[in-house]
Amino acid sequence: MTDKGKNSPISRYKKIISISNDLASTLDLDILLKRIVKAAAELTEAEAASILLYDERLERLYFQVASQYDDPLLRGLEVPVKDSIAGWIVKNRQPIIIHDAKQDERHYEQVGQSLGISIESLLGVPLIAKDKASGALEAINKREGLFSSTDQEALMTLGAQAAVAIENSRLFQQFDLISEFVHELRTPLASLRTATHLLTHPEITNEKREQLASNIQRETIRLAEMSTDFLSVARLESGRSQFQVDDFDLSDLLNECFQLIIDQAEESGLFCNIEITDDLPNLKGDRDKLKQALLNLLSNAIKYSHEGGKVLLKAEALPRQILISVSDTGIGIPQKYVHRLFSKFFRVPGSERLAQGTGLGLSIAKRIIEGHGGDIEVESEVDVGTTFTIRLPVTP
Ligand SMILES: Nc1ncnc2c1ncn2[C@@H]1O[C@H](COP(=O)(O)OP(=O)(O)OP(=O)(O)O)[C@@H](O)[C@H]1O
Ligand SMILES: [Mg+2]
């Protein structure tokens, strides 16, 4: 064997070192997983590679990403631990080479089918960090010949690096989220403490008592809403949230969202309109999650507007995509903050005086839209208004 070939031991070794450096440079789980599968396919000269993550507590395995065949809607798809090769790898903490997956009774067909890959051969290794099996990394379909023990060694080495990077990214995300959560809890908890303390004073008037009770009610509702949002973010970030994909009528969903906000808008003295073309195709996706995303845009348009303003919900079909926009004639967003809008917990300074919020709505919406292969953009001018535009792909 020479050391000069493209996949000689030395060039593989170099490749692994450069990949590990690359992996260590990001804490973003999405980016990380994509880099890992791309590297795994290259390193083993396979057609594709995929990653599944294991939740030890729930004993569940979730498909994450595959190189080449990325379908965001499959992210988080649950794969049976007992009846899958990945499950076998995680449980036995051992690598495996399979030359003919179709003949293997552990082979779980659904993921390959949904991705449109026919899985012939497979090399899989466990992802183990700090003695915790966190998932499986699989190279699929060797381009030429058979997966070898050298391929296996290379993938094991990559897997070990990948597992550490994944674990770090998860810990970082959890820590980030928990510390923000605790921070956000303080304000409503402080109001509750004050209100309940005042209620114990015997001399307070009935009027005051009612006011305190309604404060308590408002703050508890807010706490409940915040908890739901935090859970949404945590699930979307961890890759454990599976989209419930359905075929549904988009104009129906848009009308429903519009009906849900119209009262609130009119109460705030706003004029609302909906303009949707009648050629909107059916959409394939998670209706409830898309509804959550749209409702946040609409409620933002209402929250950050002045009396007499206008809110418009628009949708049109373009070739192979749908354009949905929510515009308002509200306060607008200073240009220097625009790039931070979709970050967790970000609120434009001063927003708290206008409306309550946690600053999570847009980051959740972005994850949902991107999870459907789409994107979301914003255009805004201070004191003129804001337009959020969503683009969603439509597969014929
Ligand atoms: N239509 C809009 N006009 C002006 N500013 C907006 C608009 N939409 C969002 N913003 C700004 O972006 C910030 C983030 O919005 P986001 O929806 O993520 O959070 P939020 O509305 O503050 O809280 P919540 O978590 O309840 O949605 C808002 O706090 C506000 O400062
Ligand atoms: Mg919001």
Side-chain angles (χ1 to χ4, degrees):
M1 204 191 305
T2 81
D3 277 348
K4 299 212 173 67
K6 200 169 121 263
N7 244 358
S8 69
I10 288 195
S11 88
R12 278 199 190 199
Y13 180 65
K14 283 187 182 156
K15 215 182 251 172
I16 292 179
I17 292 190
S18 115
I19 295 165
S20 327
N21 287 336
D22 202 30
L23 297 186
S25 72
T26 181
L27 282 166
D28 183 312
L29 189 59
D30 278 349
I31 298 178
L32 195 61
L33 295 177
K34 284 189 183 136
R35 285 188 190 167
I36 296 168
V37 287
K38 183 163 170 278
E42 274 173 25
L43 206 58
T44 56
E45 297 173 313
E47 267 177 29
S50 68
I51 275 193
L52 297 96
L53 291 182
Y54 182 61
D55 186 321
E56 256 188 340
R57 196 171 51 85
L58 300 173
E59 296 196 24
R60 286 189 178 160
L61 194 58
Y62 302 91
F63 172 81
Q64 300 296 313
V65 284
S67 65
Q68 264 82 23
Y69 301 88
D70 195 21
D71 179 348
L73 286 178
L74 284 179
R75 179 120 195 242
L77 178 75
E78 193 178 341
V79 168
V81 178
K82 278 210 181 69
D83 297 301
S84 66
I85 294 171
W88 184 93
I89 295 171
V90 168
K91 281 281 166 202
N92 292 278
R93 296 171 164 237
Q94 270 177 40
I96 194 169
I97 293 181
I98 292 172
H99 295 308
D100 187 355
K102 298 220 162 57
Q103 295 299 318
D104 196 294
E105 58 185 22
R106 288 163 298 194
H107 179 46
Y108 179 69
E109 283 180 343
Q110 201 185 325
V111 178
Q113 273 170 4
S114 310
L115 287 168
I117 329 178
S118 158
I119 300 179
E120 314 288 337
S121 60
L122 186 151
L123 159 62
V125 301
L127 297 170
I128 298 176
K130 296 181 198 142
D131 205 36
K132 231 176 87 184
S134 58
L137 176 60
E138 298 179 339
I140 297 155
N141 298 346
K142 178 86 176 168
R143 286 189 191 277
E144 270 171 49
L146 303 171
F147 282 118
S148 64
S149 57
T150 325
D151 291 329
Q152 180 175 313
E153 256 168 53
L155 201 62
M156 285 289 277
T157 313
L158 174 63
Q161 309 284 340
V164 174
I166 291 172
E167 190 60 20
N168 285 344
S169 142
R170 282 184 152 180
L171 287 175
F172 178 75
Q173 274 180 357
Q174 277 170 13
F175 178 73
D176 206 29
L177 201 63
I178 291 170
S179 44
E180 291 286 0
F181 187 39
V182 172
H183 181 80
E184 293 294 324
L185 285 178
R186 283 197 199 151
T187 319
L189 284 176
S191 322
L192 284 175
R193 195 164 78 184
T194 315
T196 43
H197 174 70
L198 291 176
L199 271 183
T200 58
H201 287 201
E203 70 279 7
I204 57 169
T205 61
N206 270 346
E207 195 189 349
K208 185 74 186 164
R209 195 183 306 276
E210 268 166 33
Q211 188 205 333
L212 289 170
S214 95
N215 284 356
I216 291 174
Q217 193 181 27
R218 196 188 59 228
E219 292 301 322
T220 34
I221 291 175
R222 185 158 126 75
L223 277 174
E225 283 173 359
M226 270 169 59
S227 316
T228 317
D229 281 352
F230 276 109
L231 274 180
S232 283
V233 178
R235 290 218 183 93
L236 285 165
E237 283 195 344
S238 70
R240 262 162 282 202
S241 171
Q242 159 72 359
F243 289 119
Q244 298 292 328
V245 180
D246 255 327
D247 223 305
F248 64 88
D249 185 337
L250 179 62
S251 35
D252 196 56
L253 171 65
L254 294 167
N255 280 310
E256 186 177 318
C257 292
F258 187 72
Q259 287 311 320
L260 281 170
I261 56 106
I262 193 155
D263 290 341
Q264 190 196 344
E266 282 174 353
E267 231 169 79
S268 317
L270 297 167
F271 301 95
C272 282
N273 254 313
I274 178 164
E275 273 174 28
I276 52 181
T277 53
D278 46 21
D279 59 347
L280 292 186
N282 267 17
L283 210 60
K284 212 177 128 205
D286 190 319
R287 193 179 190 278
D288 285 344
K289 293 235 161 63
L290 288 169
K291 180 170 162 185
Q292 184 185 0
L294 288 166
L295 284 176
N296 178 59
L297 295 185
L298 288 164
S299 87
N300 283 353
I302 297 169
K303 287 201 297 194
Y304 307 111
S305 284
H306 300 299
E307 216 179 311
K310 292 187 192 121
V311 174
L312 175 63
L313 171 61
K314 245 170 99 166
E316 61 181 311
L318 300 179
R320 294 210 302 232
Q321 62 177 354
I322 295 173
L323 225 55
I324 304 170
S325 66
V326 176
S327 320
D328 62 61
T329 57
I331 61 169
I333 300 156
Q335 205 52 40
K336 65 174 175 195
Y337 295 125
V338 165
H339 70 285
R340 295 174 63 189
L341 284 184
F342 298 98
S343 314
K344 270 181 303 194
F345 304 107
F346 178 76
R347 303 192 76 198
V348 173
S351 299
E352 65 282 354
R353 269 178 279 142
L354 270 167
Q356 281 197 338
T358 320
L360 283 176
L362 283 176
S363 68
I364 296 175
K366 186 174 161 77
R367 289 211 171 244
I368 292 173
I369 303 297
E370 288 180 351
H372 284 76
D375 59 47
I376 174 165
E377 278 173 9
V378 56
E379 256 180 86
S380 185
E381 202 178 321
V382 173
D383 290 334
V384 175
T386 305
T387 299
F388 283 92
T389 307
I390 295 175
R391 255 172 244 276
L392 285 171
V394 201
T395 29

